Amino acid sequence: MHAIDYRAADTYAVGDVEVARWEQFALGDLLPFGAMWYEVAPGASSPVDCHPERELSLVVSGTALVHAGGESVEVAQGSAFVLEPDEDHTVRNLSDERPLVVFSVYWMACDDAPVSLAGQVAHA
Amino acid sequence: MHAIDYRAADTYAVGDVEVARWEQFALGDLLPFGAMWYEVAPGASSPVDCHPERELSLVVSGTALVHAGGESVEVAQGSAFVLEPDEDHTVRNLSDERPLVVFSVYWMACDDAPVSLAGQVAHA
């Protein structure tokens, strides 16, 4: 068993967000995905983010207002959201008093890789 | 974006544990791993579990006492633990008043698949 302590994690700032990536725990090839916690300051929002990885996020503390794919969805503590590859997204902390904490895992989906299909042009 | 509401999930009982597996959300091949929430009743412990999948768990609410691999580790709300393949484990709720909620993802690790190595006998 490996225990990973959120409170002992080193973080770095991205705008109003403190990010704690799991690379710091030197787990090697243990996980087939990246992982991180991030904390959005009270009343703040994450900068617009967009990446080729699919991402599963779980709200650890607080309530998030997630803007992505042309919609805005409120995600309560304990609930989750999945972001598609290349989907612009921001995550707002709906509390003006307490930080919003989110845990995410992210990975390159095999079906997002360029493939050649008969009669179709592969996307680069 | 897909939002997955913990409070709307169907659960089933395994001993003193209520399990909400993500198969019910019909996400298809969206995730390269299985996912679930489980809730351990106040003062209770999960039955001994053991499976070939590696498992990453995050404590969503409460504090867990995790027994696995011959050790016992207290895991606080927001923190995580990774269970190795075929590692017997139980998860105890340290509160006598509130449920313990854990979110887990689990997958078959490629390096756990049977392989033939020179001079070694592959495990079935």
Side-chain angles (χ1 to χ4, degrees), chain A residues 73-85:
Chain A
V73 177
E74 197 172 308
V75 184
Q77 193 268 343
S79 288
F81 54 98
V82 179
L83 297 165
E84 290 298 314

Side-chain angles (χ1 to χ4, degrees), chain A residues 1-7 22 30 32 37 54 56 60 66 71 77-82 84 87 103 107, chain B residues 1-7 22 30 32 37 54 56 58 60 66 71 77-82 84 87 107:
Chain A
M1 172 174 45
H2 303 259
I4 301 116
D5 184 357
Y6 169 55
R7 286 155 189 82
W22 279 36
L30 200 69
W37 289 281
R54 194 167 273 152
L56 165 64
V60 177
V66 184
E71 57 178 339
Q77 193 268 343
S79 288
F81 54 98
V82 179
E84 290 298 314
E87 194 170 51
F103 174 71
W107 66 96
Chain B
M1 173 175 44
H2 303 258
I4 301 115
D5 185 357
Y6 168 55
R7 287 155 188 82
W22 278 37
L30 201 67
W37 290 281
R54 195 167 274 152
L56 165 64
L58 185 114
V60 177
V66 184
E71 56 178 341
Q77 193 268 343
S79 288
F81 55 98
V82 179
E84 290 298 314
E87 194 170 50
W107 66 95

Side-chain angles (χ1 to χ4, degrees), chain A:
Chain A
M1 172 174 45
H2 303 259
I4 301 116
D5 184 357
Y6 169 55
R7 286 155 189 82
D10 288 329
T11 67
Y12 62 92
V14 180
D16 290 320
V17 182
E18 285 290 325
V19 179
R21 290 200 188 262
W22 279 36
E23 282 85 347
Q24 69 185 287
F25 302 118
L27 296 174
D29 295 331
L30 200 69
L31 307 180
F33 41 70
M36 63 176 167
W37 289 281
Y38 62 88
E39 191 169 312
V40 184
S45 186
S46 65
V48 177
D49 196 14
C50 187
H51 45 73
E53 295 90 352
R54 194 167 273 152
E55 183 176 1
L56 165 64
S57 303
L58 185 113
V59 176
V60 177
S61 307
T63 304
L65 183 65
V66 184
H67 300 268
E71 57 178 339
S72 295
V73 177
E74 197 172 308
V75 184
Q77 193 268 343
S79 288
F81 54 98
V82 179
L83 297 165
E84 290 298 314
D86 301 314
E87 194 170 51
D88 283 353
H89 55 277
T90 62
V91 179
R92 175 168 290 282
N93 182 352
L94 286 178
S95 169
D96 288 326
E97 296 170 4
R98 283 169 297 188
L100 166 72
V101 181
V102 177
F103 174 71
S104 279
V105 298
Y106 47 93
W107 66 96
M108 290 296 293
C110 295
D111 57 45
D112 301 320
V115 289
S116 289
L117 299 174
Q120 297 190 19
V121 176
H123 290 275

Side-chain angles (χ1 to χ4, degrees), chain B residues 70-93:
Chain B
E71 56 178 341
S72 295
V73 177
E74 195 172 309
V75 184
Q77 193 268 343
S79 288
F81 55 98
V82 179
L83 298 165
E84 290 298 314
D86 301 315
E87 194 170 50
D88 284 352
H89 54 277
T90 62
V91 179
R92 175 168 291 281
N93 181 352

